[in-house]
Amino acid sequence: MLNFYPGPSKLYPKVENYLADAFKSGILSQNHRSKSFMDLFHSATSLLKQKLNIPSDYSVFYISSATEAWQIISQSLVKEASTHFFNGNFGEKWFNYAKLIHPQSEGIMFDYTANFPFEKLSNTELVAITQNETSNGTALTNEEIKKIRNSLPQSLIAIDVTSSLGGINLEIQHADIWFASVQKCLGLPSGLGLLICSPKAIKKAFEVNNRVNYNSIIYNYEQMQNLQTTHTPNILGIYLLNSILADLHSIEEISTAVKERSAKLYVEIKKLNSIKLLVENTEIQSETVITLKIDENRVEELKSKLLAKDILIGNGYGYWKKSTLRIANFPQIEDWEYEKLLTALQEIDK
Ligand SMILES: *Cc1c(COP(=O)(O)O)cnc(C)c1O
């Protein structure tokens, strides 16, 4: 079965061997205060910084999911209110969680066919942005994030990169908080989230001084100074992340390949008749999640025709659940798999 689901998604094939290695190594039965775990922890963080171009003075925390990051950010980095820009369901969900913690938080929804509304930016405590909106397949570029940074020198900028971290060369220095879970663009099993914070974010965490949540950033930060965690972490997840990162090419190379492949996919899909692109504005098309727009009463038929060819693509999500299907363009999926997918779509479209 070829799997183009945008999360959980296809795993890097080597995960199978690394799972067995993890078992054999004994690390899964060792105390997380042990030297072996501390070495693994140190190695995974160094590799992450090296492979994903994370500035050395940023901190990396291992959490359980992107959803947990949404909550940690409101609890640890916001005193009164955050401002949320969104054009789809993931950004909106984040806003909804934020409101539960800080009811005065503000949501600014914009049209998913339009570019980012820069004119609506204003300095607030924390501005929340979804760089790659997995529900509709729109994305912001590094240039746009830099522009947001420059227009908001005082705010913390937090960016959800759940479906792009590991596939796109993000310029981490242009924002304060970045987070993702590993079951999408990093090709790993679910249950591990990454939260990356700038020194400015850490400073704010100490000002907010949240000491009522076990997963607060300051507790995580204090433990991390000694290569420790606040609770028994996902040792298997960190082991697999460490192993996969060691194999990865540079993010520049990965990103170039992902970009070239998405350009080709967009061109070929555009030529089809009954299958359209949800996002036609080329400036905002995501490189890692491509959303197909299909007549509502033909969605099931298309899905089953693909399944008959042993191909799984993602269902629509949220607002676009019934009228779209999604294709992950992630680095762990190989070029030949996309050739097969395109051929299948062309045959079905006839
Ligand atoms: C999948 C996804 C999430 C949620 O990830 P979990 O691991 O389920 O918490 C959040 N944001 C975006 C953009 C996503 O694609």
Side-chain angles (χ1 to χ4, degrees):
M1 172 78 73
L2 302 186
N3 183 353
F4 301 93
Y5 219 98
S9 43
K10 181 188 170 184
L11 302 176
Y12 273 107
K14 282 192 168 172
V15 167
E16 184 173 3
N17 294 335
Y18 293 142
L19 279 166
D21 293 348
F23 187 94
K24 281 185 231 136
S25 76
I27 184 103
L28 304 179
S29 308
Q30 284 193 37
N31 188 292
H32 60 292
R33 310 292 178 206
S34 67
K35 169 121 185 2
S36 316
F37 176 73
M38 285 163 72
D39 289 346
L40 170 65
F41 198 50
H42 180 71
S43 165
T45 304
S46 320
L47 277 172
L48 257 179
K49 288 190 172 182
Q50 184 195 324
K51 297 278 172 142
L52 301 183
N53 291 341
I54 299 170
S56 59
D57 58 353
Y58 276 50
S59 304
V60 177
F61 304 115
Y62 298 90
I63 58 175
S64 67
S65 66
T67 305
E68 189 188 6
W70 291 339
Q71 198 178 60
I72 292 177
I73 289 167
S74 287
Q75 290 169 334
S76 290
L77 297 172
V78 179
K79 286 182 193 155
E80 282 164 12
S82 46
T83 306
H84 296 251
F85 284 82
F86 54 87
N87 71 1
N89 295 84
F90 285 100
E92 186 175 29
K93 268 191 172 178
W94 183 3
F95 172 51
N96 288 335
Y97 276 105
K99 271 193 299 187
L100 294 176
I101 298 165
H102 298 294
Q104 294 174 52
S105 293
E106 185 190 9
I108 299 174
M109 190 171 177
F110 60 100
D111 188 341
Y112 77 95
T113 62
N115 290 58
F116 187 84
F118 291 98
E119 70 288 355
K120 295 196 175 144
L121 287 168
S122 63
N123 269 308
T124 61
E125 269 190 83
L126 181 142
V127 174
I129 287 162
T130 305
Q131 184 267 333
N132 200 74
E133 178 49 77
T134 322
S135 66
N136 57 27
T138 58
L140 288 171
T141 62
N142 281 320
E143 279 311 305
E144 288 170 307
I145 290 171
K146 196 169 160 189
K147 204 167 149 188
I148 297 171
R149 165 83 290 165
N150 290 338
S151 45
L152 302 177
Q154 284 144 40
S155 310
L156 286 180
I157 299 173
I159 310 203
D160 184 339
V161 282
T162 305
S163 50
S164 55
L165 189 77
I168 298 297
N169 186 14
L170 298 158
E171 291 172 2
I172 304 291
Q173 70 273 22
H174 297 315
D176 301 293
I177 302 114
W178 301 80
F179 60 88
S181 2
V182 300
Q183 75 274 15
K184 294 184 181 171
C185 225
L186 282 158
L188 290 163
S190 61
L192 181 66
L194 304 171
L195 176 62
I196 302 163
C197 292
S198 71
K200 185 172 154 189
I202 300 296
K203 187 162 169 272
K204 175 79 185 276
F206 279 95
E207 282 166 33
V208 173
N209 199 32
N210 170 22
R211 294 197 179 264
V212 299
N213 296 102
Y214 85 96
N215 56 359
S216 93
I217 289 182
I218 48 178
Y219 287 148
N220 267 295
Y221 183 80
E222 286 167 354
Q223 288 291 335
M224 202 196 56
Q225 301 314 305
N226 303 312
L227 293 171
Q228 296 295 321
T229 54
T230 52
H231 59 284
T232 315
N234 182 344
I235 301 177
L236 176 58
I238 297 171
Y239 182 95
L240 296 175
L241 175 70
N242 183 63
S243 308
I244 285 297
L245 284 172
D247 291 338
L248 285 190
H249 292 286
S250 74
I251 191 66
E252 289 86 354
E253 276 175 73
I254 293 175
S255 190
T256 303
V258 163
K259 218 173 252 206
E260 279 172 9
R261 201 162 62 191
S262 81
K264 177 162 188 221
L265 288 166
Y266 276 115
V267 166
E268 293 303 323
I269 292 167
K270 211 172 170 193
K271 291 182 191 160
L272 302 174
N273 297 311
S274 61
I275 301 166
K276 309 252 181 287
L277 291 169
L278 177 71
V279 181
E280 292 191 326
N281 177 352
T282 53
E283 290 172 22
I284 59 171
Q285 281 170 341
S286 162
E287 285 156 8
T288 53
V289 178
I290 296 169
T291 310
L292 309 179
K293 189 174 164 207
I294 300 140
D295 199 70
E296 268 191 35
N297 48 39
R298 292 204 52 206
V299 168
E300 288 309 315
E301 181 193 332
L302 177 61
K303 257 169 50 181
S304 52
K305 283 186 175 164
L306 284 171
L307 277 178
K309 294 176 188 287
D310 245 9
I311 295 174
L312 176 70
I313 67 174
N315 288 336
Y317 192 93
Y319 294 122
W320 299 275
K321 192 175 177 61
K322 289 193 178 139
S323 54
T324 65
L325 291 170
R326 295 172 301 153
I327 299 169
N329 181 30
F330 292 166
Q332 67 270 27
I333 310 174
E334 292 165 34
D335 288 344
W336 66 266
E337 299 180 79
Y338 289 95
E339 297 297 336
K340 288 219 155 180
L341 172 63
L342 278 178
T343 307
L345 289 173
Q346 285 153 356
E347 280 170 15
I348 293 168
D349 186 55
K350 266 185 203 143

